[in-house]
Amino acid sequence: MENSEQERNFDAKLERNETIEPKDWMPDNYRKHLIRQISQHAHSEIVGMLPEGNWITRAPSLRRKMVLLAKVQDEGGHGLYLYSAAETLGITREELVSQLLTGKAKYSSIFNYPTLTWADIGAIGWLVDGAAIMNQVMLQRTSYGPYARAMVRICKEESFHQRQGYEIMMVLAKGSPEQKAMAQDAINRWWWPSLMMFGPTDEKSPNSANAIKWKIKRESNDQLRQKFVNQTVPQAEIIGLTVPDKDLVWNESKKGYDFGTPDWEEFYNVIAGNGPCNKDRLAARTKAHAEGAWVREAAQAFADKRKELEVI
Amino acid sequence: MTKDSQGFLWEVFIQSKPGQPHRHCGSVHAHDKEMALQNARDVYTRRNEGTNIWVVRSEYIVSSSPEDIGPFFEPANDKIYRHPTFYSVPEGVTHM
């Protein structure tokens, strides 16, 4: 009886578009759903540092290197904002890290693709960050307060990421035939995985119904994917690159593009752990965590020592 | 605390400009207060968002509970005489 009153209060809050805050009563499944989604989002930011980190030492100029460093540092920061939001739901940082390293928690499968050329850094900023922004702009109005506030902060910082990526592509597209070919090759490889970032189609998305009901998500996977295609295709045209989709055609009646179907078999295969870089990514995180152990121990020993001295 | 600990959880409050109040913006992990301040700076002020930072161990924050919102704030409910609109002043009186 008491439970149902709490539930009614919770539903009424959602109805009034008020945010749910850490100490508010919430259904267990709402809490579980958020922990899964926010931690997966956080892990994606952290693992997302790896494909780009791969090019920091080989960036073609000092300006590009500075910018890429700042961007990768931002991704680390975004991971931390999100871990911080997830922790307000009652899970510890230690548990979150261990779920990533043991493979219990997922991260966005886009980061299991390799960055083969410098143009891939452009494609990631433009397409991958572009797709992420589409999702994150919506999440600024998500029903869980700490998650929504983290998103506002992240969205402010992300737009530089997308612009710097687009600029890399633009410069390559205006360069020598080889450079232009490199840019086109990058969009060819990153286009479909970027569309897959929005998740399975609405009818195949297991978590979507609850997410919409609880106002965690306010637009469906397919709606967001359509918006992304509509806004990105003209951006490609302006710099003279082609989106690798033979079924792409403007549909005047819906004021949007019709487009082809991503290879969902590939999507599920990469999620299942069989992408080109799944093993490398987890190995890199595990190595970083293990090699940082002595720093955490030393920091704790130092803090304990200082505390002793303060008492005396 | 286990060997592999991520340190304590600290809440971070940032003053965006001189004269403004400090506002809560999130949390960081750190083993001691200096590290907490430095981590808060690196995580939350990469674009000059702050002129001052407070950090406080999360476990020391005391908060009212949302279930008690009614009774807890009740004492203020029936005291409309604390607001200027409770009082009538004659027509033509200004600067009040």
Side-chain angles (χ1 to χ4, degrees):
Chain A
M1 199 59 208
E2 201 196 348
N3 233 10
S4 67
E5 192 195 324
Q6 287 172 321
E7 209 151 359
R8 275 200 302 278
N9 282 340
F10 174 83
D11 290 341
K13 255 193 193 164
L14 290 183
E15 191 56 40
R16 294 193 300 267
N17 279 321
E18 281 175 24
T19 54
I20 307 299
E21 294 297 329
K23 294 187 80 180
D24 291 347
W25 183 89
M26 59 187 87
D28 279 348
N29 285 336
Y30 177 81
R31 186 184 298 276
K32 273 190 205 142
H33 184 110
L34 279 170
I35 290 179
R36 185 188 55 77
Q37 180 171 334
I38 301 174
S39 68
Q40 190 170 316
H41 197 161
H43 298 324
S44 301
E45 300 281 356
I46 299 298
V47 176
M49 297 164 81
L50 298 171
E52 295 183 302
N54 180 36
W55 278 90
I56 290 175
T57 55
R58 293 175 290 161
S61 69
L62 189 56
R63 175 181 183 268
R64 295 286 186 209
K65 183 182 286 202
M66 247 165 31
V67 168
L68 186 56
L69 260 176
K71 176 177 190 289
V72 172
Q73 199 182 15
D74 271 354
E75 309 297 1
H78 296 174
L80 296 178
Y81 305 159
L82 287 160
Y83 282 136
S84 160
E87 286 172 83
T88 62
L89 291 158
I91 186 165
T92 64
R93 181 71 63 90
E94 287 84 353
E95 286 173 275
L96 290 165
V97 172
S98 123
Q99 287 182 352
L100 171 65
L101 299 183
T102 56
K104 191 179 165 221
K106 302 257 184 260
Y107 54 87
S108 180
S109 61
I110 190 92
F111 300 117
N112 290 318
Y113 290 88
T115 40
L116 304 177
T117 71
W118 171 250
D120 288 12
I121 299 305
I124 287 183
W126 172 35
L127 301 174
V128 176
D129 288 61
I133 290 170
M134 195 58 82
N135 194 37
Q136 291 173 157
V137 164
M138 166 191 74
L139 288 172
Q140 289 182 107
R141 293 179 297 123
T142 192
S143 58
Y144 188 56
Y147 193 24
R149 293 190 284 274
M151 281 303 121
V152 170
R153 189 171 267 280
I154 287 178
C155 284
K156 268 190 203 156
E157 301 183 355
E158 284 279 358
S159 56
F160 123 63
H161 297 182
Q162 196 188 14
R163 278 184 178 218
Q164 67 86 34
Y166 189 63
E167 190 198 67
I168 289 173
M169 294 301 263
M170 181 182 73
V171 169
L172 288 173
K174 282 198 299 202
S176 67
E178 289 82 2
Q179 287 170 322
K180 185 167 184 185
M182 190 196 272
Q184 184 59 50
D185 169 62
I187 183 174
N188 289 350
R189 282 180 292 108
W190 289 93
W191 176 256
W192 292 107
S194 299
L195 293 196
M196 293 177 196
M197 282 177 71
F198 297 99
T201 54
D202 292 347
E203 64 266 29
K204 293 247 169 76
S205 174
N207 301 311
S208 274
N210 276 338
I212 298 271
K213 180 182 85 180
W214 288 323
K215 299 191 176 178
I216 294 173
K217 291 186 69 164
R218 288 170 183 269
E219 285 168 277
S220 76
N221 295 356
D222 286 334
Q223 284 170 323
L224 290 168
R225 190 165 15 243
Q226 179 73 56
K227 270 169 99 171
F228 176 74
V229 172
N230 290 352
Q231 89 171 31
T232 311
V233 169
Q235 293 170 354
E237 282 168 1
I238 286 173
I239 55 175
L241 297 176
T242 314
V243 169
D245 179 355
K246 59 179 173 32
D247 297 320
L248 185 81
V249 59
W250 177 255
N251 181 335
E252 184 59 30
S253 67
K254 71 171 187 187
K255 298 276 177 216
Y257 289 92
D258 291 332
F259 54 97
T261 310
D263 181 351
W264 293 115
E265 203 177 315
E266 174 184 320
F267 173 75
Y268 290 112
N269 200 28
V270 177
I271 286 190
N274 306 317
C277 300
N278 296 53
K279 290 193 179 70
D280 284 356
R281 300 300 183 229
L282 264 193
R285 286 312 314 155
T286 305
K287 181 167 178 271
H289 187 70
E291 289 179 352
W294 73 269
V295 180
R296 292 190 293 277
E297 273 173 50
Q300 189 56 51
F302 181 69
D304 292 344
K305 188 90 182 193
R306 291 275 294 257
K307 209 169 173 200
E308 257 172 54
L309 291 175
E310 265 173 43
V311 173
I312 299 162
Chain B
M1 200 169 270
T2 62
K3 259 189 165 179
D4 203 33
S5 145
Q6 300 276 325
F8 299 110
L9 186 62
W10 305 70
E11 299 302 318
V12 180
F13 299 81
I14 295 192
Q15 182 191 43
S16 56
K17 284 186 195 124
Q20 296 291 309
H22 289 64
R23 281 180 65 174
H24 181 253
C25 65
S27 62
V28 290
H29 280 256
H31 291 82
D32 62 29
K33 48 194 179 184
E34 283 84 7
M35 191 190 278
L37 264 184
Q38 286 165 1
N39 288 354
R41 176 201 59 197
D42 293 346
V43 175
Y44 292 103
T45 63
R46 286 192 303 284
R47 289 170 174 77
N48 288 320
E49 291 95 335
T51 48
N52 194 262
I53 300 177
W54 291 346
V55 287
V56 59
R57 287 262 299 275
S58 307
E59 62 190 285
Y60 296 139
I61 298 227
V62 183
S63 153
S64 62
S65 63
E67 302 92 75
D68 299 338
I69 185 169
F72 190 75
F73 293 104
E74 196 276 331
N77 275 348
D78 56 354
K79 298 182 178 59
I80 49 168
Y81 48 85
R82 286 177 174 166
H83 298 278
T85 45
F86 180 75
Y87 304 91
S88 52
V89 281
E91 194 89 8
V93 171
T94 55
H95 303 296
M96 189 183 279

